[in-house]
Amino acid sequence: DVQLVESGGGSVRTGGSLTLSCVASGFRERHYCLGWFRQAPGKEREGVAALDSDGETTYADSVKGRFTISRDSAKGTLYLQMSSLKPEDTAMYYCALKTFCGGSAWGATTSYSVWSQGTQVTVS
């Protein structure tokens, strides 16, 4: 079974930076879409960024220019580099996996089949 285990959350000051990591085990698919999502208290889970097996990346408008998604294939690790953090970035962050990003549907949470346990990011 594929498992996603993430780390790197924490508390940071406004304007600061943080990098999240997500290690995928049991993952052998040639085609994939790996996404980062977040959920703030009382709000729906939303897509933050996605990266597919062709190296194409997509970002939510709210994080463009501040967040960078990348993957180290040798380490089997997905990253989310976050900079210029704002209080509104405070949320539980998750990584997730599906086969194809699906263009504009990349942020559809129900289409992802594997999820990480989540890590808290707090910006104050």
Side-chain angles (χ1 to χ4, degrees), residues 1-108:
D1 291 348
V2 178
Q3 289 189 326
L4 302 175
V5 179
E6 66 174 304
S7 61
S11 296
V12 65
R13 297 280 193 179
T14 298
S17 301
L18 207 59
T19 297
L20 305 182
S21 301
C22 175
V23 178
S25 61
F27 179 40
R28 298 290 182 267
E29 287 79 0
R30 179 177 179 180
H31 298 287
Y32 60 83
C33 175
L34 286 162
W36 284 103
F37 291 78
R38 65 187 182 187
Q39 188 167 20
K43 295 188 177 181
E44 292 187 355
R45 191 170 297 188
E46 63 176 0
V48 174
L51 177 149
D52 70 16
S53 48
D54 292 328
E56 295 292 322
T57 58
T58 308
Y59 295 91
D61 288 343
S62 59
V63 306
K64 280 180 182 177
R66 301 189 298 122
F67 290 12
T68 302
I69 187 172
S70 62
R71 184 171 187 247
D72 184 330
S73 298
K75 296 182 178 180
T77 302
L78 179 74
Y79 300 98
L80 183 68
Q81 295 174 283
M82 304 182 292
S83 62
S84 301
L85 284 161
K86 306 174 182 179
E88 50 263 45
D89 294 317
T90 295
M92 186 73 78
Y93 282 72
Y94 303 86
C95 56
L97 169 71
K98 63 177 179 176
T99 305
F100 295 102
C101 285
S104 59
W106 69 271

